[in-house]
Amino acid sequence: QVGMNQSDVEPVVDPYIMGERQCKLDFYRPMQMGSFNTICLPFGLASLSGTPYEGATVMRFDKARLEEVGGENHLYFDFVEVASMQAGVPYLIQPKSDVNGMVQFNTVRFTKHQGETVDAGEYADFIGTFGQTDMDEPTAYPRFMVVSENCLAEIDGGTLRGFRSYFQMKKELTNTVSLLNFKKPTTTNMEMVVDGKKVNVEKFIREGRAYIRVGETLYTITGEVVGR
């Protein structure tokens, strides 16, 4: 069993040297319920079920797009809901309850040495971090982070702690309002026979793969339970 430093800045066991090691993990990344928090994990989660993040809403960055709305430029950061998390990929996560202090993952495998950059179009990247990141270093264009009430704010120096993410602009945009835009999976209502009874279910198309929700349980079309 290994742990991450409660300072939330540098890990006790450095994922850069752990390679493919599998272990139990005490992990520190405090998050607020009701808000989307940035996160970037050095290990993947095939499902949130049975983990400390069970019941959370996870969003993957799709693209940034610019539209004119009522004479204003609106920069939309589009996100799509997903049911799993890949190592090194930055996400937004909205937990079911506040996450304070350490949480324990029973079995994880470190597979990434550093956070990745999601290149999603001509306007912005979404960048994941494992260790602390110095935001005092100058860049050509501003960087943004997610703040309370799911708004964006420009980062004005300081240090971004580990296992988080931020937006890096690729060009200068003036008189522009930046907005987060969340997309739910495509949903189709349908009927199925479950235990001899007709029940209403929802069919999801998520990342090109079909799922069916019966009550609180999510299945693949082949019948595999993938989450609750």
Side-chain angles (χ1 to χ4, degrees):
Q1 184 166 327
V2 299
M4 295 295 182
N5 193 329
Q6 289 199 37
S7 71
D8 194 28
V9 174
E10 293 295 342
V12 171
V13 179
D14 193 337
Y16 293 84
I17 62 174
M18 289 191 66
E20 292 278 342
R21 181 178 171 185
Q22 183 170 304
C23 58
K24 289 186 177 181
L25 175 69
D26 292 325
F27 187 73
Y28 185 73
R29 168 62 176 102
M31 294 184 288
Q32 290 184 334
M33 174 184 67
S35 293
F36 278 100
N37 305 257
T38 65
I39 193 167
C40 183
L41 300 174
F43 52 87
L45 295 174
S47 170
L48 302 186
S49 180
T51 76
Y53 300 151
E54 183 170 0
T57 299
V58 178
M59 294 284 181
R60 175 182 56 80
F61 188 34
D62 183 31
K63 63 181 178 295
R65 55 188 171 85
L66 191 66
E67 292 186 5
E68 184 177 336
V69 180
E72 286 185 330
N73 289 326
H74 286 195
L75 180 64
Y76 292 99
F77 294 85
D78 289 343
F79 281 80
V80 178
E81 187 177 0
V82 295
S84 60
M85 301 174 73
Q86 299 177 32
V89 176
Y91 295 94
L92 296 182
I93 181 170
Q94 185 182 61
K96 188 169 60 174
S97 58
D98 287 343
V99 179
N100 299 310
M102 290 285 191
V103 295
Q104 186 175 89
F105 291 88
N106 289 329
T107 304
V108 297
R109 184 180 294 276
F110 289 92
T111 57
K112 289 291 181 180
H113 296 169
Q114 60 186 8
E116 297 181 357
T117 296
V118 177
D119 182 347
E122 61 179 303
Y123 296 108
D125 291 331
F126 194 36
I127 302 174
T129 67
F130 282 177
Q132 64 181 2
T133 303
D134 183 6
M135 292 295 168
D136 288 322
E137 295 181 358
T139 61
Y141 305 112
R143 292 171 289 194
F144 293 92
M145 64 179 297
V146 179
V147 295
S148 61
E149 299 182 358
N150 306 327
C151 297
L152 290 174
E154 186 172 340
I155 299 174
D156 185 19
T159 299
L160 185 68
R161 298 184 185 184
F163 310 113
R164 287 165 170 79
S165 314
Y166 64 94
F167 298 95
Q168 172 69 63
M169 300 302 299
K170 294 182 178 180
K171 58 176 64 176
E172 185 175 4
L173 298 174
T174 58
N175 300 320
T176 299
V177 178
S178 298
L179 301 166
L180 295 173
N181 183 48
F182 301 117
K183 297 179 180 179
K184 295 290 185 179
T186 303
T187 305
T188 304
N189 292 323
M190 54 189 293
E191 244 185 18
M192 286 182 63
V193 176
V194 179
D195 295 331
K197 298 179 181 179
K198 286 186 177 181
V199 296
N200 292 320
V201 300
E202 293 177 323
K203 180 180 178 183
F204 289 87
I205 305 298
R206 175 184 283 158
E207 294 186 306
R209 189 177 182 187
Y211 299 88
I212 293 174
R213 189 195 303 278
V214 182
E216 295 299 318
T217 305
L218 193 65
Y219 301 87
T220 65
I221 296 299
T222 59
E224 175 191 3
V225 177
V226 293
R228 288 181 172 83

